[in-house]
Each structure stands twice: as structure tokens, then as C-alpha cells.
Amino acid sequence: MSTSPEYLTCIQRLLTDIGYRYEPFPPYDADYWGPFHNWMVHTLGPTSSWTVKQIAEVEHTAGGLMERAYPHASTQLKLLFAKLTAIVTVIDDSIDDEVVHEQIVQFSRRLYHGEAQQNGMLVLYHATIQELSEIYGNDSILRGLAIVPWINYIDACLMEKQILNVEGSGVQPHGSAHVESLALKFPHYLRSKTGLAEAYVAATFKATKEQSLPLTRYIKTIPDFAFYIEAINDLLSFHKEEIDGETYNFIHLRTGTMAASGARGSGDSGKWTCQDTINLICSEIKVAIHRIDGLLRLEECERKMRGDTGVANIDDVDIDIANQWRGCRDGFISWHLECRRYKLGFLKSVVIGEATKSYE
């Protein structure tokens, strides 16, 4: 159903409603892609059992994310986030390997006890997290947003695997249908643990090591911004997951809890369906985007950048924040449309045509 007219129409309507702007690829940046390629091939690659082709796909995915969603970020910041994104992509796709699973079980224990990691990939992961931490200097609040999710991600993957193993065994606990109907917030909770959203939000509000934006100018956007990161990814990765037969994801989990709660949907006899969940998520993303735009005064900042002298109380800091938000806001969507991992070529041609037509 991920290529159904309803799915396509919902996404097209969402992107129109939020004023999505597609920007062409930036010029090739050898200072970014050169070091990242060498690191992927000669540093990350040897710590995994993956083939050269598999590593190349991770390079395309992780490198493209930082290129498209963080156009204002320094090469240093983009490289660190790209490296961490690459490592978690390998971990996520390797979680069913029992050897890898046993190694990551010990990650947080060793971290908290100050012990060295015993797995080469986890040694690299820990070292890169430490390197990223240095970017934030004395800003403990932004450091917490940027660093803690990478640490928690490992245990979140283990939690997800443990739950999936139990639920996939076919053994259902007594009263499970009633329990499911009461677990409306659980899909959100699980997604927040595995989504790394706050880390990617933090990257938006510190484009360089030297940049220091006032916390009070953006802190109130973080709940909606984190939701946006998670929800857009869920929406635009759904097609790939349907092709791969994956059903343990946010959309399916939320559909299950909504259906169990008795919510009325568009299916037979009013059953709540995945398309109903997709429609709901599109509506929620639209509301979240509009709140962030308002809090960051995006429209006013862009009017001032166009030379509108009637805009008051907008300074250079406001404009920096607005530009960095706009870059992530639209670039994150563009990355999904262009990334081979998500198989959205059929959607890209439709969406980009719409976006180009709207902003000519």
C-alpha cells in the first residue's frame, strides 16, 4: 500500500502544506567526501564483516544526510555526525547477528564503568562520540542533546530486539488485546528511544564549533523538532519497509494500538488502517512544522532577507537560526527522496516537479 494513490496524495499534500522547497544538489565538496570516503573504507569497513558494496551504500546514506540536511554546518561537524550515522546504520542492520548482539550488550556497562570496548566498531563509536563532545565546549545543555542519544541508542536497539523476539514468537500474554488498547503512547516512546532525534536537532543549532546561539531562541522548538525528525523518517521509510516485509515499525505499531483502542478508521467495518495512521502522521507533522516556523519566526526572517523593511525585531541571530532550521527542515525530506536506501525514486520525480513548479 506504500505506493497507493492515497499514500502518494497524502505526502504530496503534506509537502505542499508545509511549503517544502527542493534545492538542487550542492557542488561536490572534496574536503567533506574525500575524508569521509577514506574513513568508511579504511576505518569503519575493517571493523565490520560487510562487503565493499554494503559499505558504499552506508557511505551514500550517512554522507548524504549531512550534506542535504545540514548545508550550513562546518565540514568538521558534518564529518562527525556522518561517521556516527554510518556506525549506527551498520549496527541497526546487524542487530540480528548474534555475535554483534552479544558485543553491544556490554557497550553501556563498559562505558559507565570506564572500561575499554572490546569490539572494534564500538571502540570507534565511543571515540567518535568523545570527539563530537569536544565540539560543544562548556555548553553542557547542548552537549547533552547531541551526545546522550548516541549512547542510549545502543540499549534502545537491544530493547527493540528483545520486544520483537517475544512478540514474534507467537506467544501472547493473557489479556494482550486489552493491554494493547491501553498502550497508545508506547509506539512514540519506542520511536523516541531509537530515533536519535535530539542529536540531529542539536546539530541544527550549532553549525560550527565556534557558533553559540542563545538557547532561549530555539529551546521551545525541540519537542516538535524531534517529532518532525522521527515522523518524517517513519513516513518516508515506510515504502522501503513494506517492500522488505518489516512490520515492527512506528506506523504498524501505532496502527495496532489505535485499532485495539477502538478508533474508527477507513477500513472494513470502520477498522483503523495503516493509511489512517499515515494520514494522522501527516496532519501531526504539518502542525509541528507550523509551530516551529512560528516559534523561530521563519516567515518574518525570510521576508527580511528578501529586503522587506517592514519586518521588526529580527536580528542576525534570528536569521542564522531560521536559515539553519530551513536547511534541515527541507533538506531532511530531500535526502529521503534521493537516498537509494529508501527507494523513493517514483516519489521524487512527482514531488520535485510539484516543488519546482511552486517556486519558479
Side-chain angles (χ1 to χ4, degrees):
M1 63 87 63
S2 62
T3 57
S4 68
E6 293 82 8
Y7 176 76
L8 295 174
T9 298
C10 186
I11 294 177
Q12 286 180 267
R13 185 186 303 118
L14 169 65
L15 299 188
T16 298
D17 288 346
I18 66 173
Y20 163 69
R21 301 176 185 177
Y22 176 80
E23 296 290 340
F25 276 104
Y28 178 76
D29 184 354
D31 291 335
Y32 169 61
W33 283 106
F36 185 53
H37 173 73
N38 288 333
W39 180 87
M40 288 293 304
V41 172
H42 301 297
T43 304
L44 178 60
T47 70
S48 74
S49 60
W50 285 31
T51 65
V52 171
K53 183 178 180 181
Q54 288 174 311
I55 289 295
E57 285 302 302
V58 176
E59 179 182 335
H60 167 78
T61 299
L65 169 59
M66 298 312 298
E67 176 184 53
R68 297 302 268 145
Y70 298 89
H72 302 282
S74 67
T75 299
Q76 180 187 27
L77 192 74
K78 285 193 291 186
L79 279 171
L80 288 171
F81 269 87
K83 289 174 181 180
L84 288 170
T85 302
I87 296 172
V88 298
T89 301
V90 175
I91 291 172
D92 181 51
D93 286 358
S94 304
I95 193 69
D96 290 328
D97 183 318
E98 291 305 318
V99 174
V100 174
H101 179 267
E102 289 304 314
Q103 292 166 340
I104 69 173
V105 162
Q106 298 298 320
F107 176 77
S108 61
R109 187 192 69 78
R110 290 184 176 279
L111 182 72
Y112 301 145
H113 284 265
E115 299 174 1
Q117 301 294 331
Q118 298 301 300
N119 171 278
M121 188 188 305
L122 296 180
V123 170
L124 184 60
Y125 189 51
H126 187 194
T128 310
I129 289 172
Q130 290 176 313
E131 192 175 351
L132 178 61
S133 176
E134 292 301 310
I135 293 287
Y136 295 92
N138 294 323
D139 190 340
S140 61
I141 295 174
L142 202 57
R143 180 189 295 107
L145 293 172
I147 300 302
V148 172
W150 300 105
I151 297 170
N152 289 342
Y153 176 82
I154 299 294
D155 288 336
C157 284
L158 295 170
M159 177 175 68
E160 187 176 48
K161 178 177 173 61
Q162 186 171 334
I163 296 169
L164 181 57
N165 284 346
V166 172
E167 297 196 353
S169 68
V171 177
Q172 295 295 325
H174 179 68
S176 61
H178 174 63
V179 170
E180 187 76 2
S181 72
L182 299 176
L184 289 172
K185 292 296 183 182
F186 177 70
H188 296 274
Y189 170 75
L190 184 63
R191 190 66 183 94
S192 70
K193 300 298 285 185
T194 60
L196 294 163
E198 285 190 348
Y200 291 116
V201 171
T204 303
F205 295 125
K206 189 171 180 65
T208 69
K209 185 175 183 178
E210 295 74 27
Q211 187 178 54
S212 180
L213 300 172
L215 181 71
T216 53
R217 301 278 187 106
Y218 62 80
I219 189 66
K220 293 178 182 178
T221 69
I222 289 179
D224 280 317
F225 198 163
F227 171 76
Y228 168 72
I229 294 288
E230 293 161 0
I232 279 288
N233 180 255
D234 293 322
L235 187 66
L236 297 180
S237 64
F238 185 66
H239 172 66
K240 165 195 173 293
E241 291 167 351
E242 288 289 276
I243 291 173
D244 295 342
E246 297 179 29
T247 57
Y248 200 79
N249 54 40
F250 180 69
I251 289 176
H252 278 283
L253 286 174
R254 197 170 179 192
T255 298
T257 57
M258 292 290 288
S261 72
R264 189 164 183 81
S266 61
D268 294 340
S269 302
K271 182 178 180 181
W272 188 271
T273 68
C274 281
Q275 186 59 52
D276 293 317
T277 300
I278 288 168
N279 293 340
L280 178 59
I281 291 173
C282 284
S283 297
E284 292 171 340
I285 291 172
K286 177 181 173 181
V287 171
I289 286 283
H290 288 167
R291 281 197 293 246
I292 300 168
D293 286 353
L295 284 166
L296 299 184
R297 303 179 68 186
L298 178 64
E299 182 181 352
E300 295 163 86
C301 287
E302 292 184 336
R303 281 169 47 204
K304 182 165 184 177
M305 285 187 285
R306 291 195 297 267
D308 187 338
T309 57
V311 180
N313 300 320
I314 295 290
D315 60 22
D316 289 344
V317 172
D318 293 318
I319 289 174
D320 284 343
I321 291 173
N323 278 333
Q324 287 165 214
W325 157 238
R326 170 63 83 174
C328 185
R329 177 194 197 277
D330 294 342
F332 195 55
I333 295 171
S334 299
W335 170 67
H336 279 88
L337 297 179
E338 295 158 345
C339 182
R340 293 190 295 264
R341 179 180 177 87
Y342 298 108
K343 304 178 174 71
L344 290 175
F346 71 95
L347 180 58
K348 176 185 173 183
S349 59
V350 175
V351 169
I352 290 176
E354 290 288 328
T356 302
K357 194 181 299 180
S358 299
Y359 292 98
E360 284 178 343

